[in-house]
Amino acid sequence: LNRLDDLKGHLDVALNLGWSLEEIRDCMFLCCLPGGWPAAIDGVRLMYLYCKEMELAAPAPGTFRNGYHSTDWLKKGTEYGITFWGESHFNELISRLSLEGDDFKEFIIISVYGKLLSRSVLDERTKRLCMIAAFAALKSHEHLEFMISGSLENGAAKEEVKEILFYCGIYAGQEATLQALDIYRKCIAST
């Protein structure tokens, strides 16, 4: 939401709750999906400045995973997407991406599902809930519906999804929460 001045307080809270700086950095990387890379990069940059100011050891720059350069990322992304969402839900996403042509579809499969989401710093539940919160806060309704229904079909509890949406009101306003809850109820009705 481009509220970078608030980030320091949230970093304090996250660290006090036991989150590692590596986990926080990966949550910020996930923000590239709903908010774009500039927002994610700004968040990571400010986290490193926070570490310097607080005299904390910043997380080391990431290293390439074993086999990174020899991995077939299209295959890895497809396999991971199917595991993450289930085959029918992932195929629905891919069919929507295909409307823009194979280049865009392959870019998303390789970059998002292969290289970003298949990272193992955060567990799958946390990844899904982070994306639900971000899409709700940004009022990205079509993506939010996809994220909620896919998460519910793949193990997320209804109560935790609803709770995440309540928190969005604090940061994105009451209307964002009300709209997100309408989408949530629609997803619950169809499951």
Side-chain angles (χ1 to χ4, degrees):
L1 294 175
N2 202 25
R3 294 189 176 134
L4 299 175
D5 293 339
D6 297 335
L7 186 59
K8 182 179 176 183
H10 291 285
L11 288 169
D12 288 336
V13 170
L15 291 170
N16 285 333
L17 290 173
W19 283 70
S20 72
L21 289 167
E22 289 81 8
E23 290 170 320
I24 294 168
R25 182 180 59 196
D26 260 44
C27 286
M28 290 180 184
F29 285 155
L30 289 177
C31 288
C32 78
L33 298 174
W37 274 111
I41 291 168
D42 279 348
V44 171
R45 181 181 53 79
L46 289 174
M47 183 191 72
Y48 279 90
L49 291 173
Y50 169 86
C51 289
K52 185 176 180 180
E53 179 185 323
M54 302 303 288
E55 298 180 2
L56 297 171
T63 57
F64 288 116
R65 292 177 263 179
N66 255 350
Y68 183 89
H69 296 293
S70 61
T71 298
D72 177 348
W73 288 109
L74 183 60
K75 180 180 178 191
K76 171 87 172 176
T78 301
E79 290 169 352
Y80 183 80
I82 290 169
T83 301
F84 192 72
W85 292 119
E87 190 165 2
S88 66
H89 217 71
F90 186 70
N91 286 339
E92 176 189 336
L93 171 68
I94 295 309
S95 70
R96 289 175 58 208
L97 294 173
S98 296
L99 296 174
E100 303 303 324
D102 285 342
D103 290 345
F104 183 64
K105 175 185 78 175
E106 288 181 10
F107 171 77
I108 295 297
I109 292 172
I110 291 167
S111 301
V112 174
Y113 287 93
K115 294 181 178 179
L116 178 62
L117 284 174
S118 70
R119 293 166 47 91
S120 60
V121 175
L122 300 173
D123 62 71
E124 305 310 306
R125 178 183 158 274
T126 301
K127 290 175 193 175
R128 287 185 186 103
L129 294 176
C130 284
M131 288 190 285
I132 287 171
F135 282 117
L138 291 170
K139 300 180 188 175
S140 181
H141 299 149
E142 188 175 342
H143 289 97
L144 177 61
E145 183 177 348
F146 181 82
M147 293 295 167
I148 290 174
S149 61
S151 295
L152 291 173
E153 289 175 21
N154 289 286
K158 293 175 184 177
E159 296 77 25
E160 68 185 351
V161 172
K162 188 176 181 181
E163 193 71 15
I164 289 293
L165 299 176
F166 286 160
Y167 291 133
C168 287
I170 297 168
Y171 302 100
Q174 173 181 309
E175 190 58 30
T177 296
L178 292 174
Q179 291 172 6
L181 288 170
D182 286 342
I183 293 167
Y184 168 80
R185 283 188 286 278
K186 179 181 174 183
C187 292
I188 294 296
S190 67
T191 57

